[in-house]
Amino acid sequence: MSDSVDVTAWLHEFARLIAEHKDELTALDSAIGDADHGTNMDRGMTAVVKALDEGGGGSPSTLLKQSGMKLISTVGGASGPLYGTAFLRMATAAGDAPALDGPTFAKALRAALEGVVTRGKAVAGDKTMFDALSPAVDALDAALADGQSLTEALTTTVAAAEKGRDATIPLVARKGRASYLGERSAGHQDPGATSVTLLLAAAATAAGA
Ligand code: ADP
Ligand code: MG
């Protein structure tokens, strides 16, 4: 197997994981938000998969761009524009690369993080998807620099995302709807940090981890 992330397999697996965890994501969002993160993401990923299945394929960049636009038009809420921007930035970063190999995938994921920050202005500890994505991107760069294959590196990446996700539990939210709760947002895992961890788990699976 080539050491790369197949975009079609990645998006199908992400959609499957979102569907599987839909109720959990919505339950997390009901504790500190408006109970729609699971349904938002499931609606979006169902539309992404439909477009993939109906489309004629394309380069990684083309598929990522198409998916980003679908997410923006279907997910809604805060997470729609954030995920959409992340995918559009990944599309640009992938350029004309024929496959998402280690360096290309790492560059794309870094661009996704930068897109999330540009759009949402979150910093570490705000209790958002940033808190899982940012340590994951750093872990991926470090693992690849260490000479690991992309498949191996993605296992490390997922572990870093899970740790970041779990570390959102005690945090007081400073961005998004959860921030309206102030101190009462502490003690709950962030829904977006949870879904972004699924995105990375799906990439690991698509790479054959
Ligand atoms: P909404 O909050 O509009 O209902 P969702 O429930 O779909 O949207 O998504 C909520 C998630 O979005 C949060 O759990 C958080 O991870 C993420 N989020 C919200 N605001 C921001 C932001 N400014 N930067 C990064 N992530 C954010
Ligand atoms: Mg919500």
Side-chain angles (χ1 to χ4, degrees):
M1 180 182 291
S2 69
D3 197 39
S4 64
V5 171
D6 178 79
V7 178
T8 303
W10 179 22
L11 294 169
H12 273 101
E13 177 63 4
F14 184 43
R16 193 189 70 74
L17 288 176
I18 288 290
E20 186 177 295
H21 293 267
K22 181 177 153 184
D23 293 347
E24 177 196 337
L25 293 170
T26 289
L28 292 172
D29 196 32
S30 78
I32 56 169
D34 57 353
D36 65 358
H37 190 59
T39 43
N40 285 347
M41 293 302 297
D42 189 50
R43 186 171 55 248
M45 289 312 297
T46 299
V48 164
V49 163
K50 186 164 181 279
L52 281 175
D53 290 348
E54 288 171 356
S59 67
S61 180
T62 302
L63 297 177
L64 290 167
K65 184 175 177 197
Q66 169 187 300
S67 303
M69 289 182 334
K70 273 283 167 219
L71 291 171
I72 288 173
S73 65
T74 58
V75 175
S79 56
L82 290 164
Y83 268 100
T85 302
F87 274 78
L88 293 181
R89 294 292 183 98
M90 288 197 284
T92 304
D96 55 10
L100 295 184
D101 59 7
T104 312
F105 187 80
K107 186 177 157 206
L109 207 61
R110 173 74 58 190
L113 174 66
E114 287 168 1
V116 166
V117 170
T118 301
R119 192 152 257 285
K121 311 276 181 269
V123 299
D126 279 352
K127 195 181 182 94
T128 71
M129 59 176 72
F130 177 98
D131 291 317
L133 186 56
S134 175
V137 171
D138 289 342
L140 177 59
D141 284 348
L144 291 174
D146 199 37
Q148 289 181 30
S149 69
L150 177 58
T151 306
E152 288 173 304
L154 280 170
T155 302
T156 316
T157 304
V158 173
E162 288 170 345
K163 197 168 160 216
R165 174 200 66 195
D166 293 349
T168 63
I169 296 173
L171 297 174
V172 172
R174 289 190 298 239
K175 287 286 183 312
R177 242 173 233 287
S179 66
Y180 307 159
L181 291 180
E183 300 286 332
R184 280 184 294 134
S185 62
H188 302 281
Q189 185 173 306
D190 180 63
T194 308
S195 61
V196 91
T197 301
L198 298 177
L199 178 70
L200 297 166
T205 301

